[in-house]
Amino acid sequence: MSDADADGPTETVGEVRADGGSSDDSGGAFGSAIERGEDVPLLTGSGEYTDDISLRGTTHLAIRRSEHAHARIEGVDTSDAEAIDGVIAVFTGEDVVESGVPNTIPTAWDLPGLVQPQYRMLATDKVRHEGTAVAAVVAETRHAAHDAIEHVSVEYEPLEHVTDPVEAVERDVPPVHEEAEDNVAFDFELGDADATDEAFADADRVASVDLRQPRIIPNAMEPRAALADWEEATGKLRLWMTSQNPHLHRMLLSAGTLGLPENKIQVIAPEVGGGFGSKIYHYPDEAVTAWCSMQLGRPVKWQATRSESYLTDCHGRDHVTTGEIALDDDGTIRGVRVETHAGLGAQLSQFGTATPSYLYATVLSGQYTIPAIHCRVVGAFTNTTPVDAYRGAGRAEGIYVIERLVDVGARELEMDPAELRRRNLVQPDEFPYESAAALVYDSGEYERAMDLALEHVDYDALRERQRELRDEGRYLGIGIGNFIESAGLSPSGLAGDLGAQAGGWESSIVRFDSTGSVTVLAGTADQGQGHRTTYAQVAAEELGVSVDDVTVVEGDTDRIPQGMGTYGSRSASVGGGSIARGAREVREKARRIAAHQLEASVDDIEFDEGEFHVAGAPDRSLHIQTIAHEAYLGHDLPEGMDPGLEETNFYDPENFTYPFGTHVAVVEVEPETGEIEIERYVAVDDCGEIINPMIVEGQVHGGIAQGIGAALYEGAAYDDEGHLRTRRMDEYAVPHATQLPDFETDNTVTPSPHNPIGVKGVGESATIAATPTVVSAVADALEPFGVEHLDMPITPESVWRATEGDR
């Protein structure tokens, strides 16, 4: 039993603030561990997901997919499928082309020199990865549709394929796309190459590491699904779908795929069972569902199977990297140089170009002062499932590289890895800190978080225990993961300068109803994060009302005019920031009404816990919910003021926010069997102000689980034929709860100075931290065997093979 086991269940240890207070000093809604109101319907089975929705006359879609990794389509025969009872229609890629719709699944991030082949709903000429959609069958029942796709006959001419991003550009193989003969989609550089070369030439030591970050397959509880309903009389399309970003889907369906006016498309995201990034993107499947409904004039439903999701949901990561770090003998880091081949898959997904470029290279400074950084990334087409952002997107890959480099640098210097980190941390008085990788960090107290994490494990005593156990032939490892995250992906102007085809703002409407209740309409989209509780806390705090008086609405483009969705740890900081700003505007209008009705100057009106009163005369007061009623009566308002009490806010932050923290893992490795036991896992996170500690803790727990999964268990694999070998849940190792340790969590609080509520975001932090932390711990345990690094997932076999030579 581990020490953590002995102490009981998961432990949360308080919070440390820069100002010595706590995030719930006010005693209000903000900062309170309020239970999630949205959980009751989800836990009792009354939540409504896309597949639960049924419309009169609904038909069912199944998609015939390629079993080849790379092949030319010689012909498609649909006659046998069309003859099956219950089949309504069978469509091919040629049918879509002949319909005259734009038929493009566009990318949303441009890069200089980017090769952008057309990405169609259904393939017409070639299939470029296993799972490519070739034909669509619509039938009266789901069973009939799935039966019929087996009778669609497709004649192929198989072509040579490539699944490895290095081989794709360095080996003489047929191009995935004729537009990119060398399979290079982009060749990206960031940083100062000359200054970095000079730093390396002047440094006392250089350490390096070659590493792979394997493909990760998202495993949301609910596979993707869509239900489309085309109304011929009005020319309107309603589309229910599992979306993290309904407004982006509406825009891309309008402009790129179907050619309908944006105001003739309604995208609705009902309850969505997880996403982790995989439901941000505009896939062919949901578009085909909509297109089929437009052809047939009937509702069409598509529900992915789990195996179908493994083949078609965008994968994450897939990096092959060589990293180098230049150091002086005293531990000063002089420079970092990185070259990465990033697999993009067979098609460019929405943010598939941004993830391995700007989201990756810009965090290579980590928490450290590094004067010179240069990074080159070659984005490679391969005959594999497209790759896009997965929880921690780009930031996870970048922090993994710099943390591994710090560890091998410490090994080179024979210096304690905690000490090397400490000597290079950005100090509190250096903020805002501009890194050599082009980011300007907003705020941070990195050493405080690291000290707290090391105190939790009693680091010095742990190192002594490690030495004692090694004398007994036992191998304890201590891993440290310092991380930052660039969250929020804004401002919009900067994002546009870097290639984004969408804004980084968020929109909300805050509305008092006439009886004093509050409705918040938010442009983000919840997939289990707890937005309805979190946003209600923000609005309640600003307006001085009960959380129970606030209703939060998301996920319907007809009810919420605009939004940018949920990804990149942006909801609390950007979405919550918009709600806070909107609520403050509502409060100020209410203040003017209060001043008018209390016959006082606006400047003399004070606001406290929902009550407006005249300064020095607390008995002359009006509650904001009373004023809401007056605002809709409109009988006695200030001259020139319109009735009503609601505001629409667009919040475009001036900078990213930068959550940070330190995680520590303690593992014991058994070289004879390769077994790895995580004895303790401590996470100290700083996500700025904390709206709801319980929800933040839940995000940290989930993030750690996914990070450990990547480090020890998960990894997509392709066979020699280009087939996905890990295509089912019994072939792809998502960690079980019994394989995870108890988590010990703690916080420091360093508010973001530019965010309206001081929030930084937490959705991806622990995933970013956990992976390098666990890999560091295993490498540390195996230091007596001369093992500096093992690639993920670190399995018992890989440990056994790495240590075998010393026995």
Side-chain angles (χ1 to χ4, degrees), residues 276-358:
F276 311 120
S278 68
K279 292 171 181 168
I280 299 172
Y281 319 119
H282 181 40
Y283 295 91
D285 311 310
E286 290 86 345
V288 168
T289 307
W291 181 86
C292 287
S293 181
M294 293 170 64
Q295 307 310 303
L296 300 173
R298 291 181 62 179
V300 177
K301 181 186 286 187
W302 170 75
Q303 171 66 67
T305 65
R306 181 63 66 178
S307 294
E308 200 171 20
S309 293
Y310 271 34
L311 281 175
T312 62
D313 287 9
C314 285
H315 296 175
R317 319 300 193 232
D318 199 15
H319 281 202
V320 182
T321 296
T322 296
E324 299 172 281
I325 187 167
L327 310 109
D328 284 342
D329 288 335
D330 65 358
T332 301
I333 300 176
R334 301 288 295 268
V336 163
R337 188 160 50 203
V338 172
E339 179 159 331
T340 292
H341 285 75
L344 304 175
Q347 305 285 357
L348 297 180
S349 183
Q350 263 71 71
F351 299 106
T353 54
T355 302
S357 57
Y358 285 111

Side-chain angles (χ1 to χ4, degrees), residues 104 151 189 202 215 227 275 352 424 554 599 613 650 703 769 804:
T104 294
H151 295 271
E189 289 190 66
D202 293 343
R215 283 171 170 258
L227 169 62
N424 291 280
E554 292 180 294
E599 299 180 342
H613 62 84
F650 280 77
E804 185 183 28

Side-chain angles (χ1 to χ4, degrees), residues 48-53 58-63 65 137 141-143 145-146 149 220-228 239-242 270-274 279 285-286 288-289 300-309 312-313:
E48 187 174 63
Y49 295 83
T50 299
D51 197 39
D52 295 326
I53 299 167
T58 294
T59 63
H60 296 269
L61 169 68
I63 297 173
R65 302 186 182 280
V137 175
T141 67
R142 183 171 293 166
H143 175 78
H146 280 273
I149 60 172
M221 291 179 70
E222 180 196 21
R224 286 187 293 123
L227 169 62
L239 181 63
W240 291 261
M241 62 184 291
T242 49
E271 299 291 358
V272 178
K279 292 171 181 168
D285 311 310
E286 290 86 345
V288 168
T289 307
V300 177
K301 181 186 286 187
W302 170 75
Q303 171 66 67
T305 65
R306 181 63 66 178
S307 294
E308 200 171 20
S309 293
T312 62
D313 287 9

Side-chain angles (χ1 to χ4, degrees), residues 14 387 411 717 772:
V387 178
R411 193 80 67 93

